[in-house]
Amino acid sequence: MEPEPPVRIVWVVAGDESGPPDPAAIDVVDEVLSGSAAKGHVTQLDDLTTTCFVAVGQPGLDWFERCAEQLVSPPPSLLVVDDASTAEAATGSGPVDEVVWRDALADPVRFTLRARRTVAGSRAPADPPVFDFEPLVEHAQDLITVVDPDGRIRYANPAVEDILGYDRDEFVGTPVFEYVHPDDRREVAAETKAVLDSAETLVNTNVYRARHADGSWRWLESVSQSEDLTAPVDGYVVSSRDVTERVERESRLQRERETTENVLESLEDVYFVLDRDGHLQRWNSTVETVLDRTASELDGLDVRAVFVDADRSRLDEHLAAVIEGESRTIQLDVRTADGERRPYEFKTSPFVVEGEIAGVCGIGRDVTEREARADRLRRTERRFQAVFDDPMSFLGILDTDGRLLDVNERACEFAGVIADDVTGRRFWRLPWWEHSDAEQDRVRSAIERAADGEFVRFKTTNVGPDGELAHLDTSLRPVVRDDGTVASIIAEGIDISEEVTANRERELLLDAIQSAARAPDLEAALTETLRTVVANTNVVYGEAWLPDGGELQLQNAWWTDEPELESFGRHSEGLRFGKGEGLPGRVWESGDHEWVLNLDERTEASLPRIEEIVHAGLASAVGVPVLGTDGSVLTVLVFLTDTSRGRDDRFLELVDTITAHLGAILQRKVVEDELAAERERQQRLLETSPVGILVVGGDGALEQENQRAREIFGVEDAETVADAYEREPWRMTPTTDDGQELGTGLFQGVAETGTSMRNAVYVVDRADGERLWLLVNAAPVGGEKGEVIVSFSDITEQKRHEQAFQNQAERVSVLNRVLRHDLRSHLTVVGGLLDRISEQADVPAASVEAIRQSLDDLEALSQRARRIEAAFESETQATVDLGALAERAVADAAGAHPHAAVTLTEASGVPVLAHEHVRLVLDNLLENAIVHHDEPNPSVEVSVTRHDETSARLVVSDDGPGIPESEIQLRESRLETALEHSDGLGLWIVRWLVSKSDGELRLERTENGSRAVVLLPVAPGAE
């Protein structure tokens, strides 16, 4: 079909009223001309069938009439009117081809279509050629008749037989009104008369009823033309078409339209009509009820306002499609009067008026319940589909005769069939049952019982095309109609192969574990495990390799049921494998199982014993480690088969499970041995400990003691501490006012609260009269028994030293007071006398100066004694920055002794908790290093560092002669006698202050001199 040629639109400004084109139509107008210019344009056109001339109102009609009078070929004419009178005048005027109302210009597309139709209507030639009439209409589907002025039928084409059922020859010559329904004759006669009486060519269309040859009435639509241009007879031509269905349809539509109006108002559904912009134009009362709005509120309401915002874009897309001519369905959530969101389904179609889409009409239904039902149905369908597609079940649907109607994919996959190949056939004759006639008879019998309404269940087996055996729990469930008859049968086979295999494996596993647990020793346990596996699987030989130092050995742990393989086992007993050597060694090294296929293709390097393995007919092997709880390999199991079926993961899983339990059994034995050894070791530690140890039970009873405890309490070996105490109790007194009596109640309190007792000092008056000082610690063991471990350290000697030290301190205090008072007074007197002697007598100056220096030394000693006394009288500890303190002490010492090289090599800012006079420690160590040096220029180095998390380290080292052995012994004994002392009080003060600071002092001799190391506790909270 050739494409329709384009049409140009020329707007004719014929007068003042016509004016320029409307703004809406300006885009489709190709040219705007005045009346005279337009007329000249018409005469210049070679083809008038491609241009439409448009004019407006009465001036436009006048212009078209002038063109018809003055031009040989008037142009295609389209008149735009605003009033009915002009439209009526134009309709009766020959020059105008088409008339449109001005509002049609608002739609450029519609306007363009009317222009095209105007041109198309004018393309028909005014004087059509004369054709031979009968050949033209003989094959027409419409009934073509020629009626003479008297009303008789002069000609009828063959279609009369199809449309009215009359013989053509009998029909011709009969009066035409004889076939018209009596109720329609008057109207048809009047229309016919108008055609005949018209002086001009007149085309008229009638719809009326005509009698069919069978007596029924058919509706015909006839077009009569008063002047026939083709028929060679007088009269008029009538073209008739059977429109019975259309008329009946229109009649039904009219009735339906009336019914619809009533129905729409009675509907619970909402009915509405929207304009092209989506505003409400018409609605039923249900809309007012649902939205709780009045008619005035709804009139012109933008329909988008009643839907949720989330649906806005979908709604706009939907309305645009309907405006374009589509009928659509959409579901949206409506905001109802009570604020609820309810789902509505809307069926919408274009609302057409006079052939033009004026808007959208639709019906909306509340589908809340439907959606709920659909959701339930979907869930049901999903559940059914999930069941039917269950990969673990064989499912099929049978009729009551046992024919398979449907089957799921799992069943088809297993049998290697296609569903279309097996449906429609008797179920028991299908591949699932071909392996057994007995099973076929069993299934057929079960189907007969199910067809009678009985639920049938039985266990059976299926064999796949590759020999795979499936164990099934099979059931036949009848589907019963409401009348009680069976409609179909659901056949279900649940694959219980895993369950059957698992039951067998559980039995095997239980047997292996029980056998190993009952075995008297490790070798027997391994042998029983090998026997169980070999007897219940396709394994023909098994062996266990045990680590022995850096090698694996077989010993006698192997098993086989095949007599010909016994020589292979005996041959292997003497072999040993290192890590990574052979299959056992590789498994030992990796800690993971290894599967080896095609043993005959292996080499001696990768698989020792290969010659014996091939000779014994063994084809595959697997090595499995038995692991302890710490992941170490306790033993390696090796299993061999005489077939090569590839890696058997299920067998590996089974063996892994067995070895896991076996590992626990072996590990338990190892743990038991280790616990026994640990108990023995603890007992030895208990007996050799330098500290007395007692274990007290939750009930206060003494459960365990060591030799040292008996020695501390003076108990004979023949009896226990508890027996000795019961026989002759000794007294134990706490040394602090808040201390508790040492006894069962105290230890039970430790067990109950979980709070340990630390470093409590008690005085013990033994039965033999000896008094001891004991340092007591107690801590709960934990657990349900409530046991407490109590340790006793004999600190009697230490206490005696402390007492001696205290006595010495008191003596020093007395001496200091003497020095402060008597000695200082005498020194003052002597100094004064010396001044007088030096002034009056001729005494050598050197002698006087020597005496004065001695007096100054004695004064310095007195001052030093006062500082020592102040330190003795203080028990206060303070937080001190040891690094900063060292910096000040080194600076002071360097200033006092300029001949000495005193340096601070490292000074970390470590805060320590020490005696408030701890500076004396640094001063005395520095003075000792400088003053007692045997060289004129001594060298002394000082460093302060962090020793560990809890202590700081102060080191003072020199290059002098070293600390005398007597001083080191003094420090170790912590006593000063008349024969063993230093030249001054220096080191004694150092030792005393370090002790009061809870620190530690070490005096060491080095290759280059001596070194004093002081450890002091870090202050709490210091990082």
Side-chain angles (χ1 to χ4, degrees), residues 456-469:
V456 185
R457 183 176 179 180
F458 55 95
K459 287 183 172 58
T460 184
T461 58
N462 278 183
V463 178
D466 58 353
E468 178 186 359
L469 178 66

Side-chain angles (χ1 to χ4, degrees), residues 675-832:
L675 287 176
E678 180 63 23
R679 282 194 295 270
E680 183 179 354
R681 184 166 53 255
Q682 289 179 358
Q683 187 62 34
R684 287 197 300 269
L685 289 173
L686 192 67
E687 291 300 327
T688 59
S689 173
V691 177
I693 297 176
L694 300 178
V695 179
V696 182
D699 57 355
L702 184 62
E703 296 182 352
Q704 196 172 2
E705 62 189 48
N706 70 343
Q707 180 62 32
R708 179 57 179 156
R710 288 192 289 273
E711 292 173 355
I712 290 175
F713 292 110
V715 178
E716 300 292 338
D717 291 341
E719 61 181 344
T720 65
V721 173
D723 293 339
Y725 183 80
E726 186 176 356
R727 176 175 52 80
E728 190 173 0
W730 50 79
R731 188 160 55 92
M732 303 183 68
T733 307
T735 59
T736 58
D737 294 338
D738 58 350
Q740 295 177 275
E741 291 293 332
L742 194 63
T744 301
L746 176 60
F747 298 144
Q748 287 178 327
V750 171
E752 291 172 359
T753 63
T755 303
S756 300
M757 182 174 69
R758 297 184 181 278
N759 299 329
V761 179
Y762 284 81
V763 176
V764 178
D765 293 312
R766 295 194 326 196
D768 59 4
E770 185 176 356
R771 169 169 284 194
L772 303 177
W773 278 266
L774 300 183
L775 186 65
V776 182
N777 288 275
V781 176
E784 298 179 356
K785 292 184 177 181
E787 293 178 330
V788 175
I789 293 181
V790 185
S791 67
F792 302 88
S793 298
D794 186 352
I795 59 171
T796 303
E797 194 67 25
Q798 177 183 340
K799 283 297 182 181
R800 290 173 181 166
H801 289 169
E802 289 178 355
Q803 186 63 47
F805 176 74
Q806 184 64 32
N807 294 336
Q808 187 178 31
E810 291 175 358
R811 291 197 302 270
V812 170
S813 179
V814 172
L815 176 62
N816 181 56
R817 286 193 294 272
V818 171
L819 290 173
R820 289 173 57 190
H821 185 270
D822 298 338
L823 182 59
R824 189 174 182 185
S825 297
H826 291 303
L827 288 175
T828 303
V829 173
V830 171

Side-chain angles (χ1 to χ4, degrees), residues 256-516:
E256 290 173 359
R257 186 177 296 110
E258 295 172 356
T259 302
T260 299
E261 293 294 332
N262 296 327
V263 169
L264 289 177
E265 283 304 316
S266 62
L267 279 179
E268 293 184 1
D269 297 338
V270 297
Y271 169 74
F272 56 90
V273 176
L274 310 176
D275 63 15
R276 294 176 64 89
D277 295 326
H279 296 92
L280 274 172
Q281 302 297 311
R282 184 177 178 185
W283 58 90
N284 65 353
S285 59
T286 306
V287 175
E288 299 176 6
T289 302
V290 170
L291 300 181
D292 192 23
R293 301 197 186 191
T294 63
S296 61
E297 291 174 330
L298 292 174
D299 189 18
L301 176 69
D302 189 337
V303 72
R304 298 169 183 83
V306 303
F307 299 105
V308 297
D309 295 339
D311 290 338
R312 175 65 63 86
S313 60
R314 292 177 52 239
L315 175 61
D316 289 342
E317 180 185 355
H318 177 86
L319 293 177
V322 177
I323 291 297
E324 291 297 323
E326 297 183 30
S327 293
R328 283 195 171 190
T329 301
I330 189 173
Q331 183 171 315
L332 301 168
D333 286 346
V334 174
R335 294 192 186 97
T336 60
D338 55 5
E340 183 183 2
R341 289 174 52 170
R342 300 183 68 85
Y344 271 71
E345 182 182 78
F346 295 95
K347 297 182 181 295
T348 55
S349 300
F351 186 69
V352 180
V353 177
E354 296 181 358
E356 301 290 338
I357 297 177
V360 176
C361 63
I363 292 179
R365 172 166 296 179
D366 187 340
V367 294
T368 303
E369 290 298 325
R370 189 192 74 183
E371 285 299 301
R373 290 194 302 272
D375 184 60
R376 291 193 295 270
L377 178 60
R378 284 191 295 269
R379 290 198 298 269
T380 301
E381 290 176 346
R382 286 196 297 269
R383 286 195 295 268
F384 174 78
Q385 194 62 41
V387 171
F388 199 72
D389 294 339
D390 184 1
M392 300 303 295
S393 300
F394 297 1
L395 284 168
I397 301 176
L398 316 177
D399 64 15
T400 52
D401 294 329
R403 291 183 178 86
L404 183 64
L405 303 178
D406 198 2
V407 63
N408 74 343
E409 185 177 353
R410 170 68 179 117
C412 292
E413 287 179 352
F414 180 81
V417 298
I418 299 175
D420 292 342
D421 295 340
V422 294
T423 51
R425 297 170 56 187
R426 303 285 185 180
F427 186 52
W428 60 85
R429 294 177 182 170
L430 294 175
W432 294 283
W433 317 105
E434 289 179 347
H435 64 286
S436 171
D437 294 338
E439 289 295 326
Q440 292 183 13
D441 294 340
R442 186 181 186 186
V443 172
R444 179 173 57 185
S445 175
I447 291 174
E448 292 173 355
R449 292 162 57 193
D452 291 336
E454 179 184 354
F455 173 75
V456 185
R457 183 176 179 180
F458 55 95
K459 287 183 172 58
T460 184
T461 58
N462 278 183
V463 178
D466 58 353
E468 178 186 359
L469 178 66
H471 294 267
L472 301 179
D473 182 0
T474 305
S475 63
L476 299 177
R477 186 187 306 274
V479 178
V480 182
R481 302 186 182 95
D482 293 339
D483 60 2
T485 60
V486 177
S488 59
I489 300 170
I490 297 177
E492 180 181 13
I494 299 176
D495 189 347
I496 58 172
S497 301
E498 292 287 339
E499 179 183 343
V500 172
T501 303
N503 288 335
R504 292 176 180 173
E505 291 176 351
R506 279 195 296 270
E507 294 173 0
L508 171 60
L509 178 61
L510 181 61
D511 186 17
I513 294 172
Q514 290 178 343
S515 299

